[in-house]
Amino acid sequence: MKRRAFIRNSSLASSTLLIPSFIKAFDGTPSFLTGHKKLVIIQLSGGNDGLNTLVPFNNDVYIKNRSTIAQKKTQLLSVTDELGFHESLKDFKTLYDNGYVSVMHNVGYPNPSRSHFRSTDIWHTASASDEYLQTGWVGRYLEKVSKNPLGAIEVDDTLSLLMKGVDINGIATKDAKLFYRTTQDPYFSNVLSQHSDTHLSEHNLGYLFKTALDAKSSAKYLYEKTKTYESAADYPKNAFGKQLKTISEFINSGLETQVYYASLGGFDTHANQVNAQKRLLAVYSKGIATFMKDLKDTGALKDTVVLTFSEFGRRLKQNAANGTDHGAANLVFLMGDDLKHKGMYNTPANLVDLDANGDIKYEVDFRDIYASLLKEWLQTEPSQILNGDFKTLGLV
C-alpha cells in the first residue's frame, strides 16, 4: 500500500473508531488486576460553583458578595442551620441523608492555577502547580499495578491525560457493541493488513498502526465480555445518564476494570449562572442517584466508590454578568456504601479568610484523597503512583 493510501485509510479508520483512545496491544483474554474494588471518577468540568452547590445561606459575607445570584434559604434543601444543598440536588440529598455521601470542603492545592486546562492537568496528573507531567495518576496505576489497558476505562470518545501512562494507556469507549462492529469495517482490516510496510516504522504511522491493532483486540474483548448484561435501571435520557449506565453495565458484566472516568461539562458559568447551574446540578443529581441505586440493587455498590471533583471552584464575589469567575479550592464528593466519614468531612470555608486573590483557601490537598483511595480502597502503595508521599485520610 502506498503511503498516501495508508494515511487516507488510517485517517478514516481513526475518525470512525476514535483510535487515539487506544494504546498497547494485548491478545486474548487478559489476566491482570489485583482486586475487585472499583473506583468511579466523575469530573464536573468547567469549575462548578461550590458555594452555590452547598450554600452557606446565613453567611452575610456570602450574601453581600452575591447580590443577584445568592441562593436563598427558602430555595434550598436544608442540611444544617447554616448550610443547604441547591434545590436541584434533591436526589443527591437523599443519598446524603442515607449515609452514602461524604462532603469534603476546601479541597485544592498550593498556588492554584485558574486555567481550566492547567488545573485539569494538575488534577489528572497529581502534580504540583509548578510541575508538568506527561502521565496521569491513573495511567501510572495501570503501568505499576494493572499492567493492562483494560484496568481503566474512560467513557468518552477521547482519552484524557488522567488515563495516560508511558507504555500503557487506559481505554476510551462509550459503546462496546458499536466499537466492536466498527472494527469489522473493511477499511480497518485493510489498514491492519499493511503492517509489514516499511513506512510503518516511521514514528507517527507506526503509532497509528499499533493503536489500530490495539483497538481491534480491545473491542472484541470488551464486546464479548459485556454483551450479556443490560441494566434495567431507568437512567435519565441524557449523555451523562448514558455514561453512568455504561459504567454500571461494565461493572455488572464482570469486567475486571478497576477505574472508570466520566465527565459532565458546562460548569464554566461566567454569565447568567443561576439557570445554567440549576440545570446542570439536576442532571448530575438524577444521574448519580440512579447510578448508586442501580449498583445497590445489583450488589455492586459494596465494592464501588465514586469520587466527584471539579478542577477549581468559583470566586466568592459574583461578576457583572450575573456569573462567577474562576476560583480555587472547592467541594469534593465521595460516595459509597460504607464510608468512614458520612456527611460533612470538615467545616465549610471561612469566607473572611480568603487567599490573596479573594478565593477560598485550600485545606485538603487533593493528592491526599488520591493517596487514601489508592491505599485504603485499591490496596496499593500511593507513593509509587503519586510520585511523592501524601498522607491518607481514613476515607474508606
Side-chain angles (χ1 to χ4, degrees), residues 1 6 189-200 209:
M1 178 181 285
F6 174 78
S189 297
N190 194 27
V191 169
L192 294 181
S193 69
Q194 308 306 313
H195 66 279
S196 61
D197 286 5
T198 55
H199 59 248
L200 292 179
F209 168 74

Side-chain angles (χ1 to χ4, degrees), residues 47-51 104-108 310 312-314 328-332:
N48 178 44
D49 182 13
L51 285 173
M104 306 184 74
H105 296 271
N106 317 322
V107 180
S310 201
F312 46 61
R314 316 295 295 187
N330 202 3
L331 300 172
V332 161

Side-chain angles (χ1 to χ4, degrees), residues 326-344:
H326 302 176
N330 202 3
L331 300 172
V332 161
F333 299 141
L334 201 62
M335 285 165 274
D337 199 30
D338 189 25
L339 300 174
K340 302 301 184 189
H341 295 274
K342 299 177 175 64
M344 299 295 161

Side-chain angles (χ1 to χ4, degrees), residues 78 115 149 192 264 316 322 348 360 376 396:
S78 180
S115 158
L192 294 181
L264 172 62
L316 166 63
N322 295 318
I360 293 173
E376 299 163 5
V396 292

Side-chain angles (χ1 to χ4, degrees), residues 149-175:
L150 273 174
I153 294 178
E154 178 169 355
V155 184
D156 205 338
D157 291 336
T158 57
L159 202 67
S160 301
L161 180 57
L162 172 73
M163 313 287 275
K164 295 183 178 179
V166 174
D167 296 316
I168 301 177
N169 292 353
I171 291 171
T173 183
K174 294 196 294 189
D175 187 328

